Amino acid sequence: MFEALIQQFDILACLQMPRIFKTDHIITKEIYDDYALVEYKLENHISMNNLLELLDDQTEIILLYHNVPSKDVDFGQSCCAYSNPRYSHMLKFNAHTDGMGLCTSIYVTIYSSLEYMYIALQHEVQLILTKGKCDYMRRSKDLLTDFF
C-alpha cells in the first residue's frame, strides 16, 4: 500500500513543487504499519525562509510551526507542515537547518489514516514546544478544525 502512495506522491510533488522534490532524490524510505517516512535530498540547499515560501505557495499545504531556537544564528531552525485533509492527502513535511543555516533535505511522512495523522501532528506540537520559541504555531483549535 505505502509503495503505491510513495510513488503517487513522488509524481505529484515533482510536478507541483519541482524546486523541492525530484524523483531520483530519495535518500531513505522506511515503511511502518501506520505510516511511511521518506527523506528527500534537496538538489539546491535552501534557507528556511525560502522553503517556507515554497510551501506557502501550495494551497493544499498548511504550516503547523516554524521553530527558531535562537535569533542569533540560523542553525537549528525547524518547520513542520501538513497537507490539508480536505484534499484527501495524508502527508506531513519536516525540515531543519544545518550548521550553515540551510535545509539540505526534507522528510515526508505518508499516513494510512487521518486519525493517525492528526495524533502525530498533536504529538509534534507537544514535542516542539519543549525546544524553544516558535515564530509561528498553528492554533490547536485550527488544527482540530482542519480534521473535523
Side-chain angles (χ1 to χ4, degrees):
M1 170 178 117
F2 282 113
E3 286 294 338
L5 291 173
I6 291 168
Q7 259 187 331
Q8 184 182 28
F9 169 76
D10 213 22
I11 293 166
L12 186 63
C14 292
L15 293 173
Q16 289 185 336
M17 297 178 273
R19 290 192 54 207
I20 300 175
F21 298 102
K22 305 275 191 251
T23 56
D24 61 345
H25 284 91
I26 292 178
I27 297 173
T28 61
K29 183 175 14 174
E30 299 172 18
I31 298 176
Y32 301 95
D33 291 338
D34 303 321
Y35 67 94
L37 179 62
V38 183
E39 180 183 4
Y40 284 86
K41 178 183 175 191
L42 297 178
E43 186 173 62
N44 299 311
H45 301 171
I46 59 176
S47 70
M48 180 61 72
N49 286 338
N50 286 344
L51 178 61
L52 291 171
E53 286 177 19
L54 290 171
L55 292 172
D56 189 48
D57 288 344
Q58 300 301 311
T59 56
E60 296 180 13
I61 297 176
I62 300 168
L63 183 63
L64 181 62
Y65 68 78
H66 173 215
N67 179 267
V68 182
S70 171
K71 295 279 187 194
D72 298 327
V73 293
D74 289 331
F75 170 77
Q77 291 187 35
S78 60
C79 72
C80 178
Y82 59 97
S83 59
N84 189 329
R86 293 185 180 110
Y87 291 99
S88 301
H89 300 292
M90 297 177 285
L91 308 166
K92 178 178 76 150
F93 306 89
N94 289 86
H96 61 275
T97 55
D98 63 9
M100 302 296 288
L102 299 173
C103 297
T104 60
S105 60
I106 189 164
Y107 298 85
V108 179
T109 308
I110 303 171
Y111 293 95
S112 62
S113 74
L114 287 175
E115 291 81 14
Y116 288 122
M117 181 175 161
Y118 178 70
I119 291 167
L121 292 172
Q122 285 183 309
H123 187 258
E124 180 107 14
V125 166
Q126 292 170 353
L127 283 177
I128 203 65
L129 288 174
T130 66
K131 297 181 181 185
K133 184 178 180 341
C134 286
D135 264 8
Y136 173 80
M137 174 72 70
R138 188 155 180 85
R139 296 182 315 179
S140 295
K141 72 176 191 172
D142 293 334
L143 178 61
L144 181 65
T145 303
D146 290 337
F147 283 84
F148 303 102

